[in-house]
Structure formats: structure tokens, C-alpha cells
Amino acid sequence: MHTSIPRGCVSVAEPEFRSSITTLAAAPLGAPALTDESSLTKVSVRAQVGASPLGVDFTRATRRDGVLIVGIRPDEWLLLGNANEVETLLATTEFDASVSRIDITHSRLCLRLTGVRSASALEKVCSLDFDDMMFPDGATGSASVAKVSSDLIRDDVNDEPSYLLLADRSFGQYLYDAIHDATAEFANISS
Amino acid sequence: MLLVPCPHCGPRNSADMSYQGEASSRPDPSSTTPSQWRDYLYMEHNPAGWLKENWYCSSGCRRFFTVERHTVTSEFREPPLPGSKTALPLSKTTETGADTDQQGGES
Amino acid sequence: MIRRLEPQSGEVIDRETPLKFTWNSKKYIGFAGDTIVSALLANNEQVFSRSMKYHRPRGVLTADYWDPNTTVQVDTEPNVRGAHRLLEADMKVSAQNAWPSLDFDIKAANGLFGRFLTAGFYYKTFIKPQRLWPLYEKVLARFAPGGVVDLNTPHGYHDKRYSHPDVVVAGGGPAGLAAAISAAQAGMNVMLVEQNHHLGGHLLWGTDEDRATARELEAAARVAGVEILTDSAVTGRYDDNWIAISQRNHPGVVERLIKARAKTLVVAAGLVERPYVFSGNDLPGVMLSGAVRRLINMYGVRPGNRAVVLTANAEGDAATTDLERAGVNVVQVVDARAGETISKATGSSKHLSSVTLIDGSTVKADLLVTAAGWTAPTSLLNMSGDRPSYDPTAARFFPTALPDNVIATGGLVGDGSLDELIAHGLDSGKLAAQRAAVVKHRLQSTVSRAQRPEEPEPPMPEDRRVGLPRAPHPELYRSDTHGMVDFSEDVGSKDLVSAAAEGFDSVELVKRFTTATMGPSQGKLETVNTVAVLAEARGETIEEVGTTVWRPPYASISLGALAGRVFEPVRVSSLHEWHTDHNMTPILAGQWIRPEHYGDPGAEVTNVRTNVGIIDVTPLGKLDLRGPDVSKLLNLLYTNKWSKLAIGRVRYGMMCAEDGVVLDDGVTGRLGEDHYLMTTTSSGAGQIWQWVEMWLQTEHPDWQVHVTPVTTGFTSINIAGPKSRELLKRLVDDVDLSPEAFEYMNVRTGTIAGVPDCFMWRIGFTGELSFEVHVPAGFGLHVWEQLLEKGADLGVGPFGLEAQRIMRLEKGHFIVGQDTDGLTKAPTTGLAPLIKLDKDDFAGKPELEWALAADAPELPVLVAIAPTDPRLVPDEACQILREGTTEIVGRITSSRFSPSLQRSICLGQVTPEFAAAGTILTVRLCDGSDTTARVMEHHAHFDPEGVRLRG
């Protein structure tokens, strides 16, 4: 599936990809920044438990050719990136016949929370331990975030803590608002 | 809140999981009798001691597993095993596991 | 008379900041740093409440958080602990549980016949006759304690957070501070929780040197990076050191609940001073030694003028010194260590006036200070599995055995000099840090996402701390008179003695019968006296009687904090904003917000039946199934057969649980060789996903099937009506939509309005020619708008859930969970032909086999029902009766007025005896009247042959 303009068959207005987060709020000064990255291409690669079709272990995330490869479940790997890079990676990787792939771009929302206090903000909505040793850069885990099952990936940006959060598309606005509210406490606090 | 040893994720809050009841094995449907089958469906043994039980890591890795827990001390006996089937779909979980976080339920 | 002293060296009030406030409408001035009670005492107020049962006037007893007699109403907030809550400008403070006023309390008459109000009085007196209970209730309600709840008070902001500290220290006295410091210095992440507004514990009301030590410890804790929470409490300890903390010092938040998973917990709760039991021990003017020391040293308030001091320990001696320094005339010191004691206190005009000594002599006094000993608040240790034991030499309970991750220090474990306490605290913090490191190592090795530790796991460190000595202390519980044991619940020693006489032989039962220890201080003041009085009454030792179990919460926690921020997830489809902009009447379906209708559901039905309508069915559960074994899986889950489903074909299926009860239904289509799309009901989407995963993971791990929920990956739109094909044709040119090329119950993949990868199903819940299209969700709104734009001339319009429900009922399609229930086995739904018992296995097969056997018990059957009066729509859940009796033989499960047929239509469950077509049923309506209805031949009221559907 695509989020860019697909080929046209019937002459109609150009379809436009729409995120499920429709209303963005301004980040309070100094608070962790919350951005919508839902339009990234997301492909789920499935194999047997214990297999390693992409060379990435469960709970680990690594970037390869611009694509973030995430061991999201013992039998599932998530590819996250822009459409061309994901397609290239898939085309150049050899998969066993038992591996299946499915584009879940439209099923999952994707938020990014960045800032020195982003772990503290997440602690207000999620029971995971975000300590640097327990959830280091390049780690991933799934848990309830504000009561919505979510996948969290630590993906630091320029040495600043940053988390990607994926969840079911239909919760978009609710989840955005809940996390945005959790960040408010950390406005104007530098560390 | 108990920490339950998920074989894939490691120890996790029990609220991240959905309890699936006592482990039992499904009788062969071609030869089972009503009393065997209904024992499988409805009867729990509920011992005060070691119990094999099924858990579903609903907010985490989404794997079913079986683990032995002491019902008096809540101690777990390592290691957990692959899951066994529960007779009836026990919890009305949502697609998002959204019912797992009991706020303040422990206080 | 003003009782404020000259400035004291340890005072915590700011005399530069006076605060105006009112007490029962009287205007007063206190200082910043005052508690409500210290400010009132300074203004010479001494009576703060009336006791719960006898309405006796009550004054200050402990002058701290646990003070049982100083609970007040502050503005609209009831039940505020007045000796703990800090004074604020313009507070309106009033007394609770006093009617009509604190000075003149009618209910104090209770005190006159108090001897009749013994333990269990209410239980025994008002139980019969039952018909009088409403009357009793009305009278008793006026006597009930507690403040006034204002329902119009705006909700304060409450919050919640999780935390994973290495070490939580409960208690910020010298031992707790020392433990926090050494744990933090060992590199641990430490959270220190203190109930009071200031750190230092008993050092705060001690000597200047004590306070200097407290300040040093606090400074060191801050330097070490300890997270300090004052005015907060560890309210509970649960499995695996799950710690509940109520935090009240967070800016902008009334109170927040912290759920902490601590690697180790250090309990340094200190000691709580225990009241002495004697006649008149609840008179205003009788105080504990800690109360007078707090009042004088921290708040600069003189607690009385003429004092008698009963002392059994150094704290009592220090109180004497403090009193004399504050200008109080200490007329008599009674030393319990020398075997002396007091007998009773006598009052006049709501205040202590004299004290009778054990020799019968009487001393005039307006202040009686008792220092009778200590209660170890072992609450958090009990919650960790410990059963503390009593040491008669030290006259208190001590911990016995604790788990590795809980460490006790300070007064809980022994006595000793300040240096010894601090040394023990430092050692405890070190031990806590070492053990936390082991727990952390284990977590890092077992939590799969964590960074693996490089070192091997260290052994769990042994407890090698030098213990604290236990100072001998007289056992001083009750004098030769009877007095109050539980001040909050108004339970006296006499009540406990009579409970023992009535045969209550377990302390747990006595507690429940008398309600002793069940009030707001939750046993901190009363438990040990309760046990001691009971032991005396039964001629046993305190050890033999044992204590009650201390349970959470350790301190009060508000319901707001427990609720926290309210997380109520809602789900919406990609079309939600469009619906909102177009007059949607929303309906909440599970977590989903969906359009019920857009103004007129009847017109929406008519438009579908005559033109074409579109409905947003995004919540419909969708599971993408891939792999060579999918058909095996489908055969296992559904009751019918799936082996021969051709690519491009769709089939309806019904799923049962293992008890044969209908679990879910829907259609599944084959998209490719090893690729299927399963649909489930909207409400069953999550449950069925889990159900499918369970079968695959536990019973058939060898099968290769990958299941992916894609419910919201697609915006699902049902295009229904005679003109639906014409409409869809205008947007699709890569799929032949003609009836010959795209038959009923088929599925195609194609491009709709320029959006590729869409699925189109020819199915129909509404009974019309219809196409259900699944469009990648990010383009859902585009396709929806295109359908409306391109079909304007066809009369296309949106329809909502209500119109769909009407049309499905016209067609007689049941809804799992509405028309079926937890006893509806598959054969009774009218779909028995879909049960294929010749398959080897499927979920629920044995039960269905038995249900279909000739000798099976007869179960209610689902039938279509037409009321005789076509305008009458019986409510859903109306009972169906055997005529002329009240025997229930069925019920209406769905009912609507059909715009297409212009008459009422129903589905219902009836016993087989009444299920034959043409049977006339008696339906009992909600208003109690009866009507008749006829059982129909087909489930479908409308177009039973399905001509329109297949058009």
C-alpha cells in the first residue's frame, strides 16, 4: 500500500493520505515534543517464533538503509521508513517461503516523542520501566499506553531520547491528546 | 501487583496479561464423553499449592504460555512453558488490550 | 487569651506572614506554616469536634496527622485532618459532627445514657422491626459523623504516574533520611516519602542540636539526588514490591497516585505515641507528650497553664522541660517508671479541670500530658508478610521475618541514641542498595529489552547490620478506671471488656464487633491498647491475644487520586469528522463512536430500498490470514466447511465456543492461494483475534498461518441499494462489476476512485444489492466523498447504524449477543444446516453433536415474529407467555417498525413448542398488558427469497 499518490484509473480528484490525528496542539515550551509520523510506510514481516528473517532479535530495533527494523514480537518484525526505502529493502532481502509480509501502514498510527523528559512523560501513561538500562536506545517493547495497546521503540535523535509509538489507527486523536497532556507537566524544565 | 514471568518478554505486571485459567488438555473430540468434556469446560481444581495455569501476554508479546504458580505464596516455578488451550474464551478483551490497566485497583 | 509564645528556635511558622481565616464564622489570624489546629489553639480554641457516638467534646490529642479529634471541614472539603493540613489565607474552617453547634450539641445527650450505647448497640437495637428501618435511618443519619459533601464542587486535578525507583524509603526521620542518603550515595535512584510537611521526624521538636542534625541530613539527601516527597505517604505494599504512594506536594495537582515498582523498600515509619486508657482520657486538655512538644517547639503555642505530666520515658521528661520553658506551671510529674500513675481526669465546661492520682489525691490542672509508650506502626511490614511479635520488656511489637526486598530501620526495630539510629539507617540504606542492585541485575538479565549486565549476578547480600538496642519500657496501657480506646470510633475499654464477656474470643472479631481500630487512624493509636485491654479481660498475655492484621491503605487516600487522570479510550473511523459535520447523531458502541443516523433513520432505509445508500462499517472486525494452512484453521473455527472455497469467493460462517454456544459470525473471503480475509462482528473483533491466536499457538503450533488484525487499516463502506452497482461502476474501471462477472458472495481486489488495493465484496446485510468496499484507511474519506459526489444524481445518501439494524431485522439476520445469548447453541439459530458434524474436528463439535441428538434437551429457538397489531412495536426483552398463565416461554430479542413493510417486525426466542410457523404467541408488554403475535415461516420478513440481494 502507499501513502503517496497512487496511479489513477478513474479520473477523480487526487487522493490524499490522511492521518487519524486531525488536530495537533502546540507543544508547551520545554516539554517533550510530540509529532505525528503516521504517514511512514509500515510493513509487518511474519515468521515462526525463533526465526530471524531480518537478523534482528525480538525487542531490538536497528536502522538499515534508512529503514528501521524492529523485532516487535517473537514472530513479527516491523519495517518503518519511507515507501521507496522499505520497498528496496524488501526487494533486496531474501525470505524463506514461510515468511509472509503485510503492509500495515494504514492500520497503525505512529507518534514520536522527543526530549530529555520524554521518559518521565511516558511514565505518566505507561507502566514500563524507561530507565536507560532497562529500555536502551534501540530497544522496543509493547504495553498499554493510556489504556491503548501500543508498541514503543526507543530511537534517539541526535543523542536526545526519542520514542516512536505505534498503535491502532482508530485511537489517533485520543492517544495524541492523552500523551500531549502527559507532557504538559514538563514544560520549562530543562532536565 | 504480581510480576508474571513471560517466556518472551521476561517479568511483566500481571495487568499486562490476561489470565486464562488452569491449564488443562483438550479431550479428543471424536471419543470424548459428556462428563469428560464438561470437566474440561467448567471444572477448576483450585488447589492451595502448585498450579499450572495459562496466561496470555495480551499487552506485550501476545503469546500464550503456561506457568506453574504457588497459589499460596504466588511464587513462580521456572521456566514457563508454551501455552495450552483454555476451554472457553475467558476475558472479553478488546482488540487493543485496553481493559488491562486497572487504575488504582491495588490501593 | 492568646497562647502564642515568643519566637521559638525550632518553629516552622513564618510570623512575617499572617493569614486570615475563619472558624465556625469567627475571624482569626494565624501564620504561614501553622496547621489549622495550631492556629486555632493559638487563638485559644480548644474544642474541635464532637465524638462520633456520644458527642463528647474533643480537643487536641496528638497534634499530628493521626489526631483523631481534629477532623474538620475546610470550605467545601470534608474530613480534613486539621492537625496536619497547613493553614491557608481565607480558609473557611468549620467543625463537623456537631449539631446544632459545637458549643451546644443536642446529641451529647447520648453521653448521658452512654451506658446503653455499648458495643453492638446499633446492630442490636435497630434490627427489628424491619418496617421501622426507614424511620431509624432518618434519625440515625443526623448522628452520623463526617463532613458535608458539596456536589457542586469543581473536580480538582488528580494525576497518576508509574515509577521504577531502586529504593523507596518510607519515612523521613533520622533513620529514613540516613538510609536514603547511603542508598543514593551507592548510586541508587531513591525516593523518600515523608508524611509530614518537613523532614526530620522527631528531631523537629527536639533540641537545637537535633534540628541541626535534621538539616544536615536533609541537605545531604538533596546533594545525593534523593527524590523527596513530603506531605505524601506510602499507602500500601503489594506483591513483588509494588508500592502505592499518595503524593500531595506536587504543584498544580491535588493529589497523585504513584505506582512504584521498588527494587527494595526501606520502612522507617518511626514510632507513634500511644494514648493511656483512663477515665476522662478524651477530655480537651489531655494530650500526648509529642503533641505538647510539637505545639511548643514547632508552632510556638502554649498548650495550657497548669499541667500534670505522666511520664514513662525520656520523651515525657523532655515534655516537662519544654512546658516549663514555655511558662506552663507543671504542678505534678507522675513517673510511671517508679510505679506511679494517674487514675482519672475530671472535666467541667468541656475542659479538663482536675486529675486524680492513683492514691486518690486530686490536682487541679487544665493540661494533662501522658507519655505512656509507643506503638510501632508495622503496617507496611505486615503487608510484606511479616507478623510482628510482642516484646514485654520494651512494651511494643517488633518485626520478625521480612522478605529480602523489604528492610526495616529506626524506631520500628529498636531504640538507641540519635547516632545509633543514624548509623542503623546508613547501614540499612547500604543493604537496600546492595539488594536493589541484585534485583536490578535480575531484571536486566530477564527483561528481554534491557541491556544485558556484563557481570555475573552477585549473591543476595546477607543482613549484617548491627542491630539497635531495645530500651526497657513500663507496660502502661490502662489505669484502674475505664476510658477511651478508639477515639475516632468512640470505643471504650468497657466496650472491649463486654465484648470479651459476650464471648468474642478473637481480636479480629472484637475489632469488627466493636469497630475498634476501624476509624481514620486505622489502628495507629488504638490497636495495642485494644489488644492490651482484651488480654487483661481474658486473663491472657498480649502475645497470646496477638494483633489484628494491618491492611492498606496506611494513610488516607482520596478517591480522586485513585481515579487519577481518566483514560477512556475512544475509537473513531477515518470518516468521523465528516459524520460530525453532517448532522450525525452519535452512538457509543463499545469504544467506538459511530453514526446512529443523520436525522431520519426511516428515510435512510427507504433511500437504500429505492436508490442507494452508503454506511461506514469500519468497526467490522477484519483479520488478514496468510499461509498454507488457513483452510484448516477455518474448518476448525467455523461450524461449516471451507476446504473448497475458490479464490474470489466469499462464505458465511458461524463460530461456536467449546460449549457449543454461538460466539461470533461473519463472512470470510479467499483473496489468493494462501490469503484470506476474515470478518467478525464489530464487538467481537478483539475476542476473536485472541481466540484464533489461542488455537494456533496452543493446539496447532505446527500450522502455518499468520494472523494480522486489519480492522482499522481499512475504511469499510457498504454501498447498498438497487443503484449501488451503477454508483460503484463510476469509480472503478479495473474490475468488471457486471452481475455475470461479479456474482453474489464474491470478492475482488481493485482500484476505487484512484485508490488501489481496495477489496470489494458482493454481500449484503441489508438485503439489497450491495457492495462492501474496504479502502486503505488513509484514503477512506476521499472514497467516501467521491461516492457521494459521483452518485448525487442517483440519490445516494449516508445511512447510519439504526437504518442498518432495521434492514437486517427486515431480513431476519440475527446479531450475536442480541438475538443470541450465553445459552444459545448453534442448532437453535435456524442455521443448523451450517453445522457439519462430518468434519473431523471443530470448536464445540462434541457439544453440537449432543445438542443435535434426538434425546437432547429442548432449547429455545430463534424465530421471526409479527405482532398482530402492525403499529405496535413490543419493546426488546418483552416476555412471551403461555396464554392465560404467567409461564414464560420466550422473549422478544429485537423489534422495530419496518418502513419497507409498514408494520412492526420482531425476532425472538421461544421454546420449541411455540416455534412452528403460524403459532399465535402472547406477548406481555412493558405496561403489563398483553398482545398477540404470530410466528413467521422465514426469519426474513422482507424479500425472503433474496431476489433483490442477488440482482
Side-chain angles (χ1 to χ4, degrees), chain C residues 458-475:
Chain C
M460 186 58 86
E462 297 284 318
D463 183 355
R464 294 212 168 83
R465 291 173 297 168
V466 177
L468 283 172
R470 294 181 183 182
H473 195 286
E475 287 187 277

Side-chain angles (χ1 to χ4, degrees), chain A residues 9 12-13 16 18 46 59-60 98 100-101 106 123-124 126-128 133-134 168-171 181 185, chain C residues 159 162 164 250 256 448-451 565 571-572 574 626 704 706-707 712-713 733 753 778 782 786:
Chain A
C9 304
V12 288
E16 181 199 347
R18 282 167 185 270
R46 301 288 299 272
T59 69
R60 301 287 162 209
S98 64
S100 70
R101 291 170 282 171
H106 294 258
E123 279 196 330
K124 295 185 66 172
C126 180
S127 68
L128 292 184
M133 291 291 127
M134 296 305 293
D168 187 280
R169 178 190 163 93
S170 59
F171 291 105
D181 182 44
E185 179 185 332
Chain C
D159 196 17
Y162 297 96
H164 299 79
H250 190 68
R256 81 167 161 189
S448 50
R449 88 183 64 83
Q451 191 165 313
R565 297 195 302 154
R571 312 177 73 179
V572 296
S574 307
R626 290 173 197 227
Q704 202 192 318
H706 294 147
V707 186
T712 58
D733 62 6
H782 166 80
Q786 286 296 315

Side-chain angles (χ1 to χ4, degrees), chain A residues 1-20 22-23 44 46-48 58-60 75-76 97-104 106-108 120 122-136 139-142 146-148 168-172 174 178 181-182 185, chain C residues 157 159-164 189 242 250 256 263 440 443-444 447-452 565-574 577 591-592 624 626-627 675 693 697 701 703-715 729-734 751 753-757 776-779 781-782 785-786 790:
Chain A
M1 275 175 230
H2 307 73
T3 54
S4 56
I5 302 161
R7 59 195 182 275
C9 304
V10 177
S11 166
V12 288
E14 268 177 14
E16 181 199 347
F17 176 85
R18 282 167 185 270
S19 166
S20 60
T22 50
T23 312
S44 160
R46 301 288 299 272
Q48 294 303 306
F58 172 53
T59 69
R60 301 287 162 209
D75 58 350
E76 182 178 356
S98 64
V99 172
S100 70
R101 291 170 282 171
I102 173 169
D103 190 319
I104 54 167
H106 294 258
S107 306
R108 311 287 283 165
S120 307
L122 284 173
E123 279 196 330
K124 295 185 66 172
V125 285
C126 180
S127 68
L128 292 184
D129 188 347
F130 293 100
D131 175 271
D132 281 337
M133 291 291 127
M134 296 305 293
F135 207 135
T140 177
S142 301
K147 286 194 172 182
V148 173
D168 187 280
R169 178 190 163 93
S170 59
F171 291 105
Y174 160 78
D181 182 44
E185 179 185 332
Chain C
Y157 186 78
D159 196 17
K160 181 181 87 166
R161 74 163 164 130
Y162 297 96
S163 185
H164 299 79
N189 165 353
W242 182 251
H250 190 68
R256 81 167 161 189
K263 292 169 192 73
K440 191 171 188 168
L443 286 171
Q444 270 185 251
V447 171
S448 50
R449 88 183 64 83
Q451 191 165 313
R452 294 278 164 273
R565 297 195 302 154
V566 179
F567 294 121
E568 205 69 71
V570 291
R571 312 177 73 179
V572 296
S573 87
S574 307
E577 289 200 312
Q591 294 178 317
W592 285 94
D624 181 282
R626 290 173 197 227
H675 186 196
E693 279 291 342
Q697 288 184 30
W703 288 1
Q704 202 192 318
V705 180
H706 294 147
V707 186
T708 311
V710 292
T711 300
T712 58
F714 295 96
T715 300
K729 261 186 184 169
R730 296 180 182 181
L731 294 172
V732 176
D733 62 6
D734 57 356
T751 305
V755 178
D757 308 318
F779 301 124
L781 181 62
H782 166 80
E785 286 179 329
Q786 286 296 315
K790 297 287 187 286

